Amino acid sequence: MTDSLESWTDGTTKAAIVEFVERVTDPQRPEFVEPAARVAVFDNDGTLWCEKPMPIQLDFTIRRLAEMAEHDPSLRTQQPWQAAYTHDMKWLGAAVVKHYHGDDDDLKLLMGAVVRAFDEVTVEDYDARVTAFFDSSNHPTLGRSYRGCGYTPMTELLAYLNTHGFTTYIASGGDRDFMRPVAEGLYGVPPERVIGSALGLTYRADDRGNQLLYKAAMDFFDDGPEKPVRIWSRIGRRPIVSVGNSNGDLPMLAFSELPDKPALRVIVLHDDADREFDYVAGAEDLLARAHKDGWTIASMKNDWRDVFAPDQQ
């Protein structure tokens, strides 16, 4: 079997991945899994690309919220427009961490603003806004473009699994339509294999044509217990490989197993302050479960030779 995980250091983590793939792809072994059932799901924020000091989509969103507050002064005293307008990154980042600890009060405020921010925007216009954002925006501290914030070892893992007959999906708490314009170029995952949260949509046929528009309502928030629901709804199969990094990924990883067949669960551990960030906030429950059940923990510091590819800007 060709080993193409070049950015992974030789050790127990890489060996666990390779050994698992060998077991399920060898038709002479009892653990063999038919190609159609070789489903792999990956979280996105903090798993495939950088999520600190705030998720990339949050940066995209707060720019729109700040724009709204610029035109409507009454919003400047209301969260989260106030945080967006005053560049209070601490409040915005804390809202996400509080969510992973079970406190959704601030996240509900943020989600309520998001649906208002893109109400009546067509899907094509939203796609164009996302593409323009990635074409022109840079990470605030890493000195690289947002397009350059994908993790090289993870793109290699996606390609490695594809080469060995797996079908790979993104299953993220992030907005499905925020990831779709860039997922194929960054990861080789086409739009139809991106599962994520979604705003409501409505169809309108008028003198401007046949339009699909977002409306001021969430359709669903794809995190925590909702992840297995969305995965089954979209795929109709249990994954046998699942990769995540936060408590919100725990149900997805627990769900990923076929009866009497092996499963591979991988947790990305952010422990490299020199090349990325060092944190476990919001991942405590996942890491405890990983240690308890022997799931594979991938240390950025010890298991990855490279974190990012050279940034092309």
Side-chain angles (χ1 to χ4, degrees):
M1 179 173 292
T2 301
D3 180 1
S4 59
L5 302 174
E6 296 179 357
S7 294
W8 294 74
T9 60
D10 294 330
T12 57
T13 299
K14 181 177 179 179
I17 295 169
V18 173
E19 189 269 342
F20 170 82
V21 172
E22 289 176 342
R23 289 167 66 194
V24 300
T25 58
D26 183 352
Q28 304 305 314
R29 301 182 66 164
E31 301 96 336
F32 176 72
V33 176
E34 294 289 343
R38 294 178 204 162
V39 173
V41 292
F42 288 70
D43 173 55
N44 187 43
D45 292 312
T47 299
L48 295 179
W49 69 25
C50 181
E51 67 177 353
K52 295 294 183 179
M54 60 183 167
I56 295 174
Q57 184 185 346
L58 184 54
D59 190 5
F60 170 75
T61 302
I62 64 175
R63 295 182 191 210
R64 171 59 182 149
L65 298 181
E67 181 183 277
M68 294 172 70
E70 183 67 37
H71 291 92
D72 183 355
S74 69
L75 295 175
R76 299 174 192 174
T77 58
Q78 303 176 46
Q79 293 291 23
W81 291 276
Q82 181 182 26
Y85 188 71
T86 61
H87 303 287
D88 182 2
M89 300 300 105
K90 183 177 180 181
W91 186 94
L92 293 158
V96 177
V97 173
K98 287 168 67 175
H99 161 68
Y100 288 132
H101 287 141
D103 182 352
D104 283 341
D105 288 346
D106 289 346
L107 187 68
K108 288 177 181 177
L109 293 176
L110 185 57
M111 298 306 291
V114 168
V115 298
R116 288 179 57 183
F118 300 105
D119 185 31
E120 293 286 299
V121 173
T122 68
V123 292
E124 291 83 7
D125 185 28
Y126 187 80
D127 185 291
R129 293 186 191 195
V130 171
T131 301
F133 170 78
F134 276 94
D135 286 344
S136 61
S137 302
N138 296 319
H139 189 279
T141 64
L142 292 176
R144 59 178 45 247
S145 68
Y146 275 136
R147 287 189 186 272
C149 286
Y151 302 134
T152 297
M154 299 308 290
T155 58
E156 289 179 356
L157 179 56
L158 284 160
Y160 180 73
L161 292 172
N162 287 332
T163 297
H164 293 96
F166 286 78
T167 304
T168 54
Y169 294 81
I170 294 174
S172 173
D175 175 23
R176 171 195 65 202
D177 291 341
F178 180 77
M179 295 177 284
R180 279 177 167 172
V182 296
E184 190 159 21
L186 290 177
Y187 312 130
V189 178
E192 63 270 20
R193 299 211 305 262
V194 176
I195 304 168
S197 300
L199 297 176
L201 290 166
T202 186
Y203 174 76
R204 180 186 299 162
D206 56 24
D207 56 1
R208 289 176 291 178
N210 299 285
Q211 301 183 90
L212 200 59
L213 304 101
Y214 296 103
K215 55 186 179 182
M218 284 294 297
D219 194 356
F220 48 83
F221 181 43
D222 184 37
D223 200 42
E226 189 69 17
K227 282 200 173 188
V229 174
R230 303 316 322 168
I231 289 169
W232 183 262
S233 297
R234 285 286 303 279
I235 305 172
R237 297 181 183 273
R238 281 182 182 255
I240 61 171
V241 175
S242 50
V243 188
N245 78 298
S246 72
N247 294 339
D249 300 319
L250 180 50
M252 176 179 77
L253 272 68
F255 177 68
S256 302
E257 185 172 23
L258 296 177
D260 304 318
K261 298 293 183 181
L264 177 67
R265 285 94 162 191
V266 179
I267 292 88
V268 176
L269 177 63
H270 296 265
D271 59 353
D272 195 331
D274 292 330
R275 297 185 297 175
E276 203 241 14
F277 297 95
D278 186 351
Y279 63 95
V280 295
E284 300 90 343
D285 296 343
L286 179 63
L287 290 169
R289 178 68 176 274
H291 288 297
K292 174 178 176 290
D293 290 351
W295 295 351
T296 301
I297 298 176
S299 161
M300 280 192 171
K301 184 176 183 180
N302 300 317
D303 292 316
W304 290 1
R305 286 196 177 95
D306 302 302
V307 174
F308 305 109
D311 192 15
Q312 302 300 314
Q313 288 295 334

